[in-house]
Amino acid sequence: MAVFFSITTPLGIAIGIGITNIYDETSSVALIVQGLLNSIAAGILIYMALVDLLAADFMNPKIQSNAKLFFGAKFTLVLGVASMAIMAIWA
């Protein structure tokens, strides 16, 4: 992975520098590509948060055996999601 990263990072930078003269950020194709890449990145982040991080917490036997703790964890999760959504208004 280190070798792959050390090769692809400079390659991506070189490609970015190479297309700066011909790239029009207001063109419809550029906006579509940017939207697709942003949605893919957001989907990966949501998947990682829900499946890899939260599932481990909510599948814990300690949380599943205690109803008060279980609903408290769900309530704080919803509270955190709502807080982030409200902050996203100003972002």
Side-chain angles (χ1 to χ4, degrees), residues 47-66:
Y47 174 81
M48 292 297 292
L50 293 177
V51 174
D52 289 340
L53 300 175
L54 288 177
D57 292 336
F58 283 101
M59 296 305 289
N60 188 342
K62 182 179 177 183
I63 290 180
Q64 288 191 345
S65 63
N66 187 345

Side-chain angles (χ1 to χ4, degrees), residues 20-32:
T20 54
N21 295 331
I22 59 171
Y23 180 72
D24 180 22
E25 64 185 34
T26 59
S27 73
S28 62
V29 173
L31 293 175
I32 291 171

Side-chain angles (χ1 to χ4, degrees), residues 12-87:
I13 292 170
I15 291 171
I17 291 171
I19 66 167
T20 54
N21 295 331
I22 59 171
Y23 180 72
D24 180 22
E25 64 185 34
T26 59
S27 73
S28 62
V29 173
L31 293 175
I32 291 171
V33 169
Q34 185 178 3
L36 285 173
L37 291 176
N38 284 343
S39 65
I40 291 169
I44 291 170
L45 288 173
I46 290 171
Y47 174 81
M48 292 297 292
L50 293 177
V51 174
D52 289 340
L53 300 175
L54 288 177
D57 292 336
F58 283 101
M59 296 305 289
N60 188 342
K62 182 179 177 183
I63 290 180
Q64 288 191 345
S65 63
N66 187 345
K68 186 177 178 182
L69 189 59
F70 182 74
F71 288 112
K74 287 203 182 244
F75 175 73
T76 55
L77 173 67
V78 171
L79 187 65
V81 169
S83 300
M84 294 301 287
I86 290 170
M87 285 191 289

